[in-house]
Amino acid sequence: MARGGLCLTAFPSLSALGQDVPLVLRRSARAKRLKIRVEANRSVTVVLPRGISDATALSFVEKEHRWVLAQLAKIDAPVPFSDAEMVPILGREYILRHCPDRRGVVSIEDREILVCGQRAHMARRFEDWAKRHIRSHILEKAAEYAEKAGVSFGRITVKDQKSRWGSCSSAGNLNFSWRLIFMPEFVVDYIVCHEVCHLVHLNHSQDFWRLNHQLCPDTEKAKAWLKENGSKVHKYGAT
Ligand SMILES: [Zn+2]
């Protein structure tokens, strides 16, 4: 059986995918049993132990089609910061436009984000703009919540942290992921409020949550959104 050009759509149970998902068969002397791996780039690898035929591997994929579909559904296609891509900014969708002939750096017109300069610098320019934009939004909201809570904060830093949306240091400095920009405003506000509440309670005690709910009535709605969609913001800017 040919190894090259295999696609999941060749399987009757997976043809509903309607997209070409590459399938790679890989033999491994160390593998103990047949294994299917769904990769982050939406390709599927089947690892074959010694003595297992291609045909057996393929019928295994067919048998496990529900699991494969479920894994594929969890992976979103990456959205690079390039011309004509859609990105949500605080819950509103915008189209990225590369405008080599315009002056300035980044500007918003209607539902378009115009990025000037050379194409090679487009992604970095948009990202720099996005970091400044979300930082100023966070700063404004943090000041608002801090005033209501009767506390003050130190520095606000926007970073590229993967594991946490926000954190609060014992010195009173607040850190946030710049990817908050791809979340709806009510979710960002909850995350900011959450960290400001840590300036009062450096724990997740009942008193902490009481204050959090009091300052941000959308807390539960935002937590549910994060659970369902939080990890999806990592697809933006990925290539
Ligand atoms: Zn917390």
Side-chain angles (χ1 to χ4, degrees), residues 29-198:
R30 279 181 306 160
K32 294 267 187 287
R33 54 185 183 86
L34 266 172
K35 224 185 322 183
I36 306 179
R37 254 195 347 241
V38 175
E39 316 284 358
N41 66 0
R42 301 182 67 77
S43 71
V44 173
T45 306
V46 184
V47 183
L48 291 74
R50 233 194 282 262
I52 297 287
S53 70
D54 286 4
T56 305
L58 296 178
S59 61
F60 181 60
V61 175
E62 182 72 40
K63 200 174 119 234
E64 297 292 324
H65 69 273
R66 279 205 183 81
W67 182 85
V68 174
L69 283 175
Q71 301 308 304
L72 279 168
K74 282 190 206 163
I75 302 170
D76 282 318
V79 178
F81 298 141
S82 48
D83 192 57
E85 294 289 349
M86 297 272 284
V87 288
I89 303 293
L90 296 173
R92 281 190 91 187
E93 291 282 346
Y94 290 87
I95 303 170
L96 287 177
R97 291 278 179 224
H98 178 226
C99 304
D101 303 326
R102 283 177 68 105
R103 293 166 70 88
V105 184
V106 176
S107 53
I108 294 188
E109 271 179 27
D110 297 324
R111 302 308 287 268
E112 296 187 328
I113 297 177
L114 313 174
V115 187
C116 311
Q118 290 174 36
R119 189 174 295 274
H121 300 145
M122 182 175 173
R124 188 183 43 81
R125 287 199 153 156
F126 170 73
E127 202 174 307
D128 288 348
W129 172 86
K131 284 174 181 163
R132 283 197 306 274
H133 193 77
I134 193 64
R135 190 173 178 276
S136 74
H137 180 86
I138 289 170
L139 211 57
E140 206 176 291
K141 291 310 291 190
E144 206 180 299
Y145 288 125
E147 200 192 325
K148 283 184 188 158
V151 284
S152 59
F153 53 87
R155 251 177 305 115
I156 286 196
T157 314
V158 165
K159 299 195 224 186
D160 201 355
Q161 46 186 28
K162 280 236 166 5
S163 54
R164 289 202 284 184
W165 301 127
S167 60
C168 172
S169 78
S170 51
N173 297 320
L174 308 178
N175 302 307
F176 297 93
S177 161
W178 75 277
R179 290 178 178 280
L180 264 57
I181 196 162
F182 303 119
M183 298 177 181
E185 208 170 324
F186 76 92
V187 180
V188 178
D189 294 353
Y190 156 69
I191 294 169
V192 175
C193 180
H194 184 111
E195 297 312 327
V196 167
C197 290
H198 276 317

